[in-house]
Amino acid sequence: MSTVLFWFRNDLRLHDQSALHAACQLGAQHLLPVVCLPDVQATTAWGFARIGPHRRAWLANTIQNLLKGLLDKRIQLLILNQPATSALPALARAVGASTIVCEDIAAPEEQAEVAALRAAGLQVRTVWHSSLLHPQHLPWPVQRLPAVFTPFRQQIEQVGLQPAAPLPPPAALPPAPPGVPNAWLDDSAQTLAALAGTPPAADARSAFPYLQGALHGGEAAALAHLQQYLARGLPHSYKRTRNDLLGLDYSSKWSPWLTTGALSPRQAMAQLRQFEAEHGASDGSYWLWFELLWRDYFRFLHLQHGPALYRARGLGPARATPHDDQRFAAWCAGRTGQPLVDAAMRELAATGYLSNRLRQVAASYLIHDLACDWRAGAAWFEAQLLDYDVYSNQGNWLYIAGRGTDPRGGRRFDPIQQAATYDPDGAYQRLWSRP
């Protein structure tokens, strides 16, 4: 083969890039990296935009950083404002390529994209590299994954399974093929500006102020954030502060970079292990490993169950899925009358971020108190969260709804009790008492 297309998906980085290394090892003379932008006009079945302004801004910033990283290696990134299923076959014909290498994503829509490309006559090689642990290294075949997280974690730890060392960025990449048609060489700045749209207004109350300071999307900021988080010794306090609601440092804030692939979980874990070697392990540093295992578990559930996770009943028995449009709209807008929930939904809309504790409280309230369809809530989080992750979002909503892997059959969080425990002086609720 003379030319291979490398399709960046949710792996927008150069470090620990197993798929990119695999593409280089094919021995092709030319390599053409490509990103296909999402359709920002797409709407959900519930009537709102599928990708909100915070996700758009964060993704545009991430791709801009990847573009710069490749240009530093004298490689041009093609940024295509078209669906992959139509853009990539046309591009392959234009440059004489028959092979695409890309990340393997085990969610239904992403699997359908790959199937469509293969149906168009392309050879698509997918490489799994979004998890901390590789599914082939688990103590059991992924189809025998434990049905509950705790035995999954316990068995992983009993056998002493650890992630592989992260790969360095490729030292060099094959050049792009000559004569790429001008029609494909659009102005990347204009294309990314269209993706970003009108920038959201910065909000000084944000727990993840990505519109200010150093918290930019992309690999460079991801690695810098990881380094400063470790340098300040924050892993030691993570378990104690992870349920706080205010400020940047109560949690690691790795998720915005993990979700776009700008940060590899193996890179994060390797540097955390180095931190532990130098400064000692603690409950806090262990809990970061614990949370990354949860992230892995939701990925492996997708490998095990696939589209079943997207049914109204999820993995449970068939039963009614109630919904009320007016109550759902009030929840989205932060107008339910429940102070903690409304504060959370205002923070989400204003900043694109929400603590894990409040994600659970808000999801529980929508499902168990307002009796609304969990899928509507999952779709709203997909639109709003700048750190939206298809695996974790689906897995967590199923868990709260009792249609996933929760051994208790669902979780209801009493918002009054949650406020008394995690916002006892009402500081968070006062901060977000208005939009």
Side-chain angles (χ1 to χ4, degrees), residues 152-185:
F152 162 80
R153 175 186 58 80
Q154 290 172 338
Q155 292 181 50
I156 292 292
E157 294 176 342
Q158 284 169 5
V159 301
L161 185 61
Q162 291 294 322
L167 297 170
L173 296 171
V180 177
N182 288 336
W184 299 98
L185 298 173

Side-chain angles (χ1 to χ4, degrees), residues 308-324:
L309 297 170
Y310 293 77
R311 302 179 301 198
R313 66 185 180 94
L315 302 180
R319 65 180 192 264
T321 306
H323 188 65
D324 184 289

Side-chain angles (χ1 to χ4, degrees), residues 299-365:
R299 281 160 162 69
F300 301 150
L301 278 179
H302 275 70
L303 289 171
Q304 183 183 35
H305 295 290
L309 297 170
Y310 293 77
R311 302 179 301 198
R313 66 185 180 94
L315 302 180
R319 65 180 192 264
T321 306
H323 188 65
D324 184 289
D325 287 333
Q326 290 185 333
R327 289 199 292 264
F328 175 64
W331 177 83
C332 293
R335 295 197 304 265
T336 68
Q338 208 304 312
L340 183 63
V341 172
D342 288 348
M345 300 309 291
R346 292 185 192 113
E347 180 187 10
L348 176 60
T351 72
Y353 191 81
L354 193 61
S355 70
N356 182 62
R357 171 59 51 181
L358 289 179
R359 294 182 200 201
Q360 295 179 83
V361 173
S364 165
Y365 194 76

Side-chain angles (χ1 to χ4, degrees), residues 356-377:
N356 182 62
R357 171 59 51 181
L358 289 179
R359 294 182 200 201
Q360 295 179 83
V361 173
S364 165
Y365 194 76
L366 180 72
I367 296 166
H368 301 298
D369 292 76
L370 299 181
C372 287
D373 193 325
W374 68 271
R375 295 171 299 172

Side-chain angles (χ1 to χ4, degrees), residues 41 143 153 161 171 204 240 313 338 351 378 382-383 417 434:
Q41 303 301 320
Q143 292 305 319
R153 175 186 58 80
L161 185 61
R240 174 173 51 82
R313 66 185 180 94
Q338 208 304 312
T351 72
E382 176 182 353
Q417 182 184 56
R434 56 177 178 79

